[in-house]
Amino acid sequence: CYVDDKVSKVAWLNRSNIIFAGQDKWSLDPRVDLVTKGQLEYSLRIQKVDVYDEGSYTCSIQTKQQPKTSQVYLIVQVPANIYKVSEDITVNEGSNVTLSCLASGRPDPAITWRLLNPSAEPLDGEEYLDIIGIMRNQAGRYECKASNDVATPDVKYVNVVVNYPPTIKKTQSSETQVGRMGTLQCDATAVPTPEFEWYRDEKRLSNAQGINIQILGTTTILMIANVTEEDYGNYTCVASNRLGIQNASLFLYS
């Protein structure tokens, strides 16, 4: 507020409460003081501004002719802040999932979601992201971003694991001569990681009598050392987890 030298009385008011009358401070707030760099300046300074400081402030001037007032409206902006976000979750494929992301700020922040896969396209959701019948390709790290252009956006993440039953996606039979090593391979996809079993007819095979079974994550290899005529035939690979089971036939042949 700037005044001229004809002014006899000045005051600052907020919502009709007197803050300063002349040089006399009426407010008890220690954050408030006057700035008078020259005789004609009569400015109000509020330090560590809070949202409760928002509102209309009036500089009131009394001259010999008439009183004058000048009003300033203080708008307080607050950076976006995500104060609550969903915990990481594990669900079964086909389930309905709702992720929540609650944020505060002034003005109210806009909330956007992305699944951080290679495309990372925006998803259709605001405070709540609904995923109906979630599929395995929707598993991953979800990003919630709250922005209101006051400061850099606030970002939080939710990890979603989608369980699904095993699918045997690749098998490798083997043409092996007598006396050589036969190798059968079976690859599966599943969450949680599948357990594997090998069968010859109805009999479950184990690491014994020249048989070596290896399991490497979602791949299993059956190795038969020193193949004989009796080893030729049909083998079954079984992949299972708590959601389901699948098997596939492989062949060892000459």
Side-chain angles (χ1 to χ4, degrees):
C1 191
Y2 290 90
V3 298
D4 60 34
D5 50 9
K6 300 183 182 64
V7 170
S8 57
K9 290 180 180 175
V10 287
W12 269 107
L13 300 91
N14 171 228
R15 304 183 195 93
S16 75
N17 297 319
I18 297 173
I19 306 170
F20 272 94
Q23 298 294 320
D24 295 331
K25 185 176 179 180
W26 288 39
S27 169
L28 299 174
D29 191 335
R31 301 172 305 133
V32 178
D33 64 347
L34 282 177
V35 176
T36 50
K37 286 178 182 163
Q39 269 189 314
L40 306 181
E41 184 178 0
Y42 187 71
S43 298
L44 183 70
R45 178 168 58 192
I46 307 169
Q47 300 186 65
K48 296 180 182 174
V49 168
D50 192 282
V51 289
Y52 304 109
D53 297 319
E54 185 164 308
S56 182
Y57 291 78
T58 304
C59 177
S60 181
I61 300 165
Q62 182 71 47
T63 63
K64 287 175 184 173
Q65 283 80 24
Q66 59 184 37
K68 287 181 185 175
T69 59
S70 176
Q71 278 201 333
V72 179
Y73 195 91
L74 175 64
I75 298 170
V76 179
Q77 294 187 320
V78 180
N81 173 50
I82 297 171
Y83 61 86
K84 188 176 182 184
V85 69
S86 291
E87 301 281 332
D88 293 348
I89 57 164
T90 300
V91 296
N92 293 343
E93 192 170 45
S95 302
N96 295 338
V97 175
T98 298
L99 303 181
S100 63
C101 181
L102 306 180
S104 60
R106 291 166 70 110
D108 288 338
I111 296 175
T112 55
W113 286 94
R114 292 191 305 166
L115 171 57
L116 299 181
N117 54 16
S119 64
E121 291 170 5
L123 301 170
D124 189 17
E126 293 179 359
E127 287 188 334
Y128 297 96
L129 176 67
D130 291 318
I131 307 166
I132 307 301
I134 194 166
M135 303 301 289
R136 61 193 71 179
N137 63 350
Q138 294 173 291
R141 189 168 165 86
Y142 283 78
E143 175 197 82
C144 166
K145 181 186 284 185
S147 49
N148 64 358
D149 297 329
V150 175
T152 53
D154 195 13
V155 179
K156 294 278 190 294
Y157 302 95
V158 184
N159 293 305
V160 177
V161 175
V162 178
N163 291 332
Y164 56 92
T167 301
I168 295 175
K169 60 179 182 177
K170 184 183 172 190
T171 59
Q172 196 172 314
S173 294
S174 176
E175 181 182 357
T176 308
Q177 296 174 0
V178 170
R180 298 292 180 87
M181 177 177 281
T183 303
L184 303 176
Q185 184 171 324
C186 182
D187 295 355
T189 59
V191 178
T193 302
E195 294 181 0
F196 289 104
E197 294 174 351
W198 284 96
Y199 289 85
R200 173 83 193 274
D201 301 322
E202 299 298 314
K203 182 178 175 237
R204 183 176 174 189
L205 302 175
S206 57
N207 284 317
Q209 312 101 36
I211 289 175
N212 180 15
I213 296 171
Q214 292 187 355
I215 297 173
L216 309 161
T218 58
T219 298
T220 181
I221 299 170
L222 173 67
M223 291 184 285
I224 303 165
N226 198 13
V227 167
T228 66
E229 289 285 348
E230 289 78 48
D231 293 324
Y232 292 130
N234 185 22
Y235 291 77
T236 303
C237 161
V238 178
S240 64
N241 66 11
R242 54 190 171 76
L243 277 83
I245 186 167
Q246 193 176 46
N247 58 50
S249 289
L250 296 87
F251 296 94
L252 183 67
Y253 55 95
S254 60

